[in-house]
């Protein structure tokens, strides 16, 4: 393939992306394909002879497009947003095109230094505590990880190493494996699945803490669990608090939890994967009160801050703990400039993360932050919240429904009043239509639906359209059961008559 061909076809790809995004509203949000559809369309082996653009490009529309779920459609209202914006896509293209792998400073100084700078930018935009900034005098700093899950695992492994290093000198006769086997991690039953997965992968015993009725971590239970575990010879090591839980967007009380962690010498990680983006607006910062207690923090610009996947920011209060846990050296990895780097605070990010190779992800974050600017990032979040409020008011005004959690950002949790099966059926009717995507969740055994504001282009008319689909689907569920309940009444009457007859004949 030569450069001129690429020039021509890459421009076509840009046109394709623009047309796709501008017309996404007209596409059915969920695909109609059956599992295995692609096996029937694509050969089971790679081609022996090279193929040409002219045969490949039409296959995108023929084979791939029908199997897409349109995450950026205004009718996609499940999970949380998949960040996306033109400035970010532009950065992503540059990152692929420049193609550097920046795990050591000298392997692309721009890649490392831009990441240090934009992580400080973002920390300041969000009003994070100073100690997370690289430019602050302390030992803090930030890095872009591939996902929130990776950030949580990195935090866990760091906490594990710190605890082992604290315990070993106190008990020189106990071997490291014995110490590691006694470590315990704590998190609420409403924390993301990624937290439990991190503990699974990191081989740390878990102690899920029952949440309060509103889905927040019960601080007194955390305290009791830590005390109890110590009495039983275990070693409390790691606590995860969530700002914006996945099910209901609940906010754990960092002031209470943080003071417990501080008193107990336990690492506090704060998971703000979704809700962290809201802190660019000063009016939401009350939700992160107590963040100064956190040893580490993750938030995903690839969720709600207009940056496309993957871009998950991770900050640590004291990077020395991270380096202790993650540094493995080889001669071939040694950086010629290490001495100057140490003086000038230029990290070798390979010692801050799980992979060795790393992409130039800072570009898309940098370009996105510049092209929106603080003012438009704030406008974006505020507009999205106002749409959640619109949907909330629809629910509140309709006696068939009830809210299941307060709406504070872009998520509305609701259910049909009455038996659970009604809400489950509502979801299945909506999904069968493939016109709107929602998902279900539970809090303390109560099942509900999540309506999240996701697409960056969503406006009030989309909310109204979604509401109409939900409202009609609810009508359909009710009428289905209206017939059924008449049948049930008839059956019951017959049963009574039979019992009566049986009674008489006895
Ligand atoms: C989405 C989410 C995660 C996982 O983030 P990934 O980047 O998908 O790994 C973790 N915690 C919370 C609260 C989330 O909403």
């Amino acid at each position: 393939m030569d450069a001129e061909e690429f020039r021509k076809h890459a421009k076509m790809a840009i046109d394709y992306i623009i047309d796709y995004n501008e017309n996404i509203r007209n596409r059915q949000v969920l695909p109609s394909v059956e599992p295995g559809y692609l096996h029937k369309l694509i050969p089971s082996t790679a081609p022996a002879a090279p193929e040409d653009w002219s045969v490949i490009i039409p296959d995108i529309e023929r084979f791939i497009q029908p199997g897409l779920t349109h995450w950026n459609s205004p009718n996609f209202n499940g999970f949380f947003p998949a960040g996306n914006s033109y400035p970010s896509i532009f950065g992503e293209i540059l990152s692929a095109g420049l193609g550097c792998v920046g795990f050591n400073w000298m392997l692309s100084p721009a890649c490392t230094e831009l990441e240090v700078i934009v992580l400080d930018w973002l920390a300041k935009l969000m009003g994070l505590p100073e100690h997370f900034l690289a430019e602050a005098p302390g030992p803090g700093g930030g890095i872009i990880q591939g996902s929130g899950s990776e950030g949580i695992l990195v935090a866990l492994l760091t906490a594990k190493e710190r605890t082992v290093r604290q315990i070993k000198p106190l008990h020189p006769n106990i071997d490291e494996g014995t110490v590691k086997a006694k470590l315990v991690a704590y998190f609420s039953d409403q924390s993301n699945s990624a937290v439990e997965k991190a503990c699974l992968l990191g081989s740390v015993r878990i102690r899920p803490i029952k949440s309060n009725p509103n889905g927040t971590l019960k601080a007194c239970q955390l305290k009791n669990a830590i005390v109890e575990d110590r009495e039983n010879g275990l070693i409390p090591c790691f606590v995860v608090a969530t700002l914006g839980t996945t099910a209901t967007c609940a906010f754990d009380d960092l002031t209470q939890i943080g003071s417990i962690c501080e008193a107990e010498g336990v690492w506090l990680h704060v998971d703000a994967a979704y809700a962290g983006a809201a802190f660019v607006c000063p009016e939401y910062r009350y939700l992160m009160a107590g963040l100064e207690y956190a040893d580490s923090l993750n938030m995903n610009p690839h969720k709600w801050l207009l940056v496309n996947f993957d871009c998950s920011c991770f900050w640590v209060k004291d990077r020395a703990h991270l380096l202790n846990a993650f540094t493995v050296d080889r001669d071939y990895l040694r950086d010629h400039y290490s001495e100057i780097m140490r003086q000038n605070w230029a990290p070798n990010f390979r010692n801050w993360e799980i992979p060795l190779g790393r992409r130039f992800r800072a570009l898309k974050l940098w370009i996105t932050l510049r092209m929106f600017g603080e003012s438009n990032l704030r406008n974006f979040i505020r507009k999205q919240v106002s749409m959640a409020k619109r949907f909330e008011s629809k629910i509140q005004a309709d006696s068939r429904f009830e809210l299941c959690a307060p709406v504070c950002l872009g998520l509305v949790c609701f259910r049909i009043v009455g038996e659970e099966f009604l809400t489950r059926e509502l979801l299945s009717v909506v999904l069968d239509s493939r016109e709107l995507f929602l998902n279900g969740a539970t809090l303390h055994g109560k099942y509900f639906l999540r309506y999240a504001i996701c697409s960056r282009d969503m406006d009030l008319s989309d909310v109204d359209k979604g509401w109409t689909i939900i409202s009609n689907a609810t009508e359909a569920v009710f009428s289905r059961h209206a017939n059924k309940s008449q049948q049930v009444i008839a059956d019951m009457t017959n049963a009574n008559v039979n019992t009566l007859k049986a009674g008489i004949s006895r």
Side-chain angles (χ1 to χ4, degrees), residues 100-113 331-338 340-341 346-350:
C100 55
V101 177
F103 55 81
N104 276 352
W105 177 80
M106 76 169 173
L107 297 175
S108 276
C111 178
T112 297
E113 295 200 9
D331 275 338
Y332 52 75
L333 292 177
R334 208 138 285 152
D335 196 312
H336 181 60
Y337 300 96
S338 359
I340 322 174
M341 283 171 53
N348 281 334
F349 273 135
R350 66 182 160 87

Side-chain angles (χ1 to χ4, degrees), residues 31 48 70 120 168 188 207 255 296 300 303 310-311 324 348 351 397 414 427 434 469 489:
H70 305 293
D120 273 8
K168 260 181 16 188
S188 98
R207 179 98 194 236
T255 309
S296 53
N300 288 353
K303 272 191 175 147
D310 54 349
C311 181
N324 285 341
N348 281 334
N351 294 327
F414 68 101
L427 182 63
R434 299 176 196 271
I469 293 173
I489 290 164

Side-chain angles (χ1 to χ4, degrees), residues 149-256:
S149 308
E150 258 174 272
I152 296 165
L153 177 58
V154 166
L156 172 87
L157 297 174
T158 303
K160 200 173 164 182
E161 183 64 24
R162 182 183 76 161
T163 310
V164 170
R165 284 176 188 239
Q166 281 168 345
I167 304 270
K168 260 181 16 188
L170 305 175
H171 308 276
N173 299 329
I174 304 180
D175 74 285
E176 205 171 300
T178 311
V179 175
K180 284 184 175 165
K182 290 174 184 287
L183 302 177
V184 190
Y186 307 82
F187 47 85
S188 98
D189 54 30
Q190 288 297 304
S191 66
N192 188 270
S193 58
V195 177
E196 189 175 328
K197 191 192 254 187
C199 297
L200 189 72
L201 297 176
S203 303
V204 171
R205 181 189 303 252
I206 59 170
R207 179 98 194 236
I209 305 291
K210 199 172 151 50
S211 54
N212 290 308
N214 67 359
T216 59
L217 191 150
K218 253 193 188 125
C220 59
Q221 292 245 10
L222 171 68
K223 174 82 187 173
N224 293 344
I226 290 176
V227 169
E228 194 182 297
D229 284 346
R230 276 203 212 285
E231 280 168 4
N232 291 328
L234 297 172
I235 306 169
C237 167
F238 186 61
V239 170
V240 179
T242 309
L243 294 180
T245 58
T246 308
T248 63
C249 201
F251 289 78
D252 288 345
D253 183 336
L254 296 185
T255 309
Q256 278 185 1

Side-chain angles (χ1 to χ4, degrees), residues 5 34 41 65-66 73 116 120 150 154 195 240 248 409 441 443:
E5 263 186 87
E34 299 285 330
L41 299 173
Q65 195 56 256
S73 158
V116 173
D120 273 8
E150 258 174 272
V154 166
V195 177
V240 179
T248 63
L409 298 178
L443 176 63

Side-chain angles (χ1 to χ4, degrees), residues 1-2 4-6 8-9 12 47-60 62:
M1 181 217 305
D2 73 19
E4 280 315 309
E5 263 186 87
F6 179 66
K8 184 172 144 213
H9 291 102
M12 261 173 65
E51 293 187 323
D52 192 68
W53 285 113
S54 60
V55 296
I56 293 170
I57 288 172
D59 288 353
I60 308 292
R62 271 165 53 204

